[in-house]
Amino acid sequence: MPPTLGQNQYGKAETRVVRVTREGQVHHVRDLNVSVALSGDLAEVHLAGSNAAVLPTDTMKNTVYAFAREHGIASPEAFGELLARHFVGTQPAIHRARVRIAEYAWDRVPTPGEGAHSFVRAGGGTRTAQVTCDDTGVRTLGGLTGLTVMNTTDSEFRGFVRDRFTTLPEADDRLLATDVTAVWRYAAAPEDWDAAHGNVRDRLLGAFAGTYSRSLQQTLFAMGTAVIENVPQIDEIRLSLPNKHHFLVDLEPFGMSNAGPDGAVYIAADRPYGLIEATVLRDGAPSLIPVDLTAP
């Protein structure tokens, strides 16, 4: 039997668009990286080379720019929904559109006078969003990645399994650091997407800082729980937390102690690293976020 065509999609990846909105001397910036993927009745382009149902990817890129000018960018989630609905609604062969967006934040630089049009690239992670539109409706995932956090105390790791290959000593007081990647599923659209995203970020940071950690798994669950309990529009959140190991430097060969109430010196290890991943759900909610969506 000859091979058959399986799942397929095509689109335009990583269209960079910067939308500047001017309110007199006060300017606002939304800086996005937009990736579109379309699927539907597209077998003939694969099997026979017919482009009759193919919207050029260059057209997708132009649509992103045109929509940014015509509609503005109220939020990554709202902009993604506009694009996804457009491609499904205007192309008969397209039955599913997935729009993935990363937003790069800019902080305003205080300037003298009335001008407010100078910015510096913000730290603190990258906001992400994914909007999927098909004949079942629209589904929206919010997210963030690259949010680097660290606790310099209130973390331990002991009582773990040991076998003949275990060399790790138990730690009563360790430095805990991670780069947070999180994806959450909105069961209902919030009134304000930006405020909802900010609320999730604040809850994640608050739980990380406020949890005495006996394991990174415990901290992850506390972070996810803080979101589910305090953001009613969200039913599910998946977190991926690499354990960015920091090991005490052995200074005994130099006749120096590396312990005491005044602090210590650590090696920041690059790799390998532990990787802790889990989904936290509202009671009774289904688990719908793909496991590999947060994978490095």
Side-chain angles (χ1 to χ4, degrees):
M1 296 294 290
T4 58
L5 179 67
Q7 192 278 339
N8 62 92
Q9 61 192 36
Y10 82 108
K12 199 70 163 182
E14 299 200 47
T15 297
R16 288 298 309 276
V17 56
V18 178
R19 176 62 153 94
V20 177
T21 302
R22 298 181 174 90
E23 297 177 348
Q25 294 297 311
V26 178
H27 297 179
H28 306 274
V29 174
R30 306 291 312 224
D31 183 351
L32 306 185
N33 192 15
V34 182
S35 294
V36 177
L38 307 181
S39 54
D41 296 329
L42 298 168
E44 287 304 303
V45 67
H46 293 273
L47 304 179
S50 171
N51 293 319
V54 175
L55 182 73
T57 65
D58 188 68
T59 303
M60 300 177 202
K61 174 202 69 178
N62 293 340
T63 304
V64 170
Y65 294 140
F67 271 42
R69 181 67 182 96
E70 183 177 8
H71 302 286
I73 301 174
S75 69
E77 294 85 357
F79 190 64
E81 181 174 344
L82 280 172
L83 289 168
R85 288 186 180 277
H86 166 79
F87 290 121
V88 172
T90 61
Q91 299 301 314
I94 300 304
H95 305 316
R96 182 179 184 270
R98 187 199 69 204
V99 180
R100 286 180 173 168
I101 297 176
E103 179 174 29
Y104 309 112
W106 293 87
D107 290 333
R108 198 177 301 281
V109 177
T111 53
E114 297 182 357
H117 47 74
S118 297
F119 300 85
V120 59
R121 174 65 66 82
T126 299
R127 179 175 175 178
T128 63
Q130 176 174 298
V131 181
T132 304
C133 178
D134 56 24
D135 57 4
T136 66
V138 174
R139 294 171 299 284
T140 303
L141 302 176
L144 57 82
T145 189
L147 181 64
T148 303
V149 293
M150 178 171 65
N151 284 332
T152 53
T153 190
D154 287 346
S155 175
E156 63 181 58
F157 188 58
R158 13 179 221 149
F160 45 83
V161 173
R162 289 189 173 276
D163 67 11
R164 65 192 182 100
F165 300 116
T166 302
T167 59
L168 184 72
E170 294 193 344
D172 295 324
D173 186 13
R174 67 172 179 170
L175 192 153
L176 182 67
T178 187
D179 293 329
V180 180
T181 295
V183 175
W184 53 87
R185 177 171 56 84
Y186 288 98
E191 292 184 6
D192 186 326
W193 291 104
D194 289 346
H197 183 274
N199 190 11
V200 174
R201 187 179 185 277
D202 289 345
R203 299 296 179 179
L204 292 171
L205 291 175
F208 178 82
T211 300
Y212 184 94
S213 179
R214 291 175 173 82
S215 68
L216 189 50
Q217 286 91 332
Q218 174 205 6
T219 300
L220 181 154
F221 187 73
M223 294 168 70
T225 297
V227 172
I228 296 298
E229 289 183 342
N230 292 283
V231 189
Q233 298 90 352
I234 293 174
D235 274 359
E236 176 185 8
I237 180 168
R238 182 164 180 82
L239 289 153
S240 178
L241 303 182
N243 195 341
K244 310 301 284 187
H245 301 298
H246 289 69
F247 299 111
L248 284 167
V249 179
D250 181 9
L251 298 177
E252 288 187 4
F254 316 127
M256 302 172 64
S257 171
N258 196 16
D262 59 338
V265 177
Y266 298 85
I267 298 170
D270 179 50
R271 59 191 57 137
Y273 53 85
L275 181 60
I276 312 303
E277 300 177 289
T279 299
V280 181
L281 297 159
R282 192 174 302 282
D283 185 36
S287 182
L288 301 177
I289 297 175
V291 168
D292 62 353
L293 196 58
T294 55

